[in-house]
Amino acid sequence: MTDILWTRPEGPSHATFVFAHGAGAGMNANFMERFAQAAAAVGLTVARFEFDYMAKRALTGKKTPPPRADKLVGEYQRAVQTVAEQTDGALIIGGKSMGSRVAAMLAGSGSLPRRVAGVACLGYPFHPTGKPDLEHWRLAPLEEAKRPVLVLQGDRDQFGNQTELGELTLPDHVALQYLEDGNHDFAPRGASPATWDGNIKIAAKAVADFAQHLTAE
């Protein structure tokens, strides 16, 4: 059974967000912890988990690279099943960077549980860093998702910034929201009026509003 790290709101929960980590840092990473706390503060239950390759790092101390994203879909599905067994109500699946891509892939599969209402992608890796050519873009998981998708992206994200994304036409079921002057972790530059804490709270509120909207339909 997948180990789940829970972050729960003090009051009622609008939905449960199954939250996967990025390629290089696990579920206890600073961004993951900050977002989970901010999301719980606005009424989301957050369920974090680690893919097997990341969990093994803690045991061996060796930083092995992740498998291809499509190889992780089955692990994500098992995590969703574990969370579903321990919760009631709607589920939102998503993650940070690579984790969001894997969630979007699951959302396009035929094995997507009915309780999954939508997908929330935080810093979606639209293309490999330094390779913004259209041949490298990773649009298929978003286009093929069978649920509404919310993408939260820093203005300056090196895996797809606002200027690059402005040239795309995304499907109607995909909504895109930017975090002011944010990088891949939503952190702005020092001279920006925005703050990292503020951007994370904005992103958490956006996911909570997304979940409420979907569950009210």
Side-chain angles (χ1 to χ4, degrees):
M1 181 176 291
T2 304
D3 290 332
I4 304 296
L5 176 59
W6 296 93
T7 308
R8 303 180 188 274
E10 293 185 2
S13 176
H14 306 310
T16 298
F17 180 38
V18 186
F19 190 24
H21 58 79
M27 64 183 178
N28 290 305
N30 195 1
F31 179 93
M32 300 289 290
E33 179 65 25
R34 282 173 174 258
F35 185 86
Q37 294 296 334
V42 290
L44 280 180
T45 298
V46 181
R48 286 176 273 171
F49 72 97
E50 287 189 331
F51 294 110
D52 288 346
Y53 83 91
M54 184 61 68
K56 288 176 182 176
R57 285 188 183 184
L59 297 176
T60 65
K62 297 180 180 179
K63 290 189 175 182
T64 55
R68 276 186 2 216
D70 60 318
K71 300 296 185 183
L72 297 172
V73 174
E75 288 186 44
Y76 201 118
Q77 183 179 13
R78 289 195 294 273
V80 172
Q81 291 170 342
T82 299
V83 172
E85 291 169 359
Q86 300 181 44
T87 60
D88 297 315
L91 303 176
I92 303 294
I93 62 174
K96 173 69 170 71
S97 192
M98 182 199 71
S100 72
R101 185 182 176 202
V102 178
M105 288 177 172
L106 175 59
S109 74
S111 56
L112 184 68
R114 291 183 179 181
R115 280 177 57 190
V116 175
V119 187
C121 300
L122 312 182
Y124 186 82
F126 281 92
H127 59 69
T129 181
K131 295 183 178 180
D133 302 327
L134 286 178
E135 65 184 278
H136 295 112
W137 283 68
R138 300 156 172 162
L139 299 177
L142 301 178
E143 294 170 341
E144 297 169 5
K146 298 174 182 177
R147 298 289 191 275
V149 179
L150 173 64
V151 178
L152 295 156
Q153 199 82 353
D155 286 340
R156 301 180 294 111
D157 194 319
Q158 62 267 37
F159 294 89
N161 61 47
Q162 186 171 7
T163 299
E164 294 167 345
L165 298 181
E167 299 178 1
L168 295 180
T169 300
L170 294 172
D172 291 341
H173 67 269
V174 179
L176 178 59
Q177 180 176 331
Y178 295 103
L179 285 307
E180 184 177 355
D181 199 50
N183 63 11
H184 194 50
D185 287 336
F186 302 163
R189 291 166 289 195
S192 173
T195 65
W196 192 28
D197 185 59
N199 277 351
I200 287 177
K201 287 180 178 178
I202 290 169
K205 182 64 164 55
V207 176
D209 290 346
F210 177 63
Q212 282 190 285
H213 172 73
L214 293 177
T215 56
E217 292 181 346

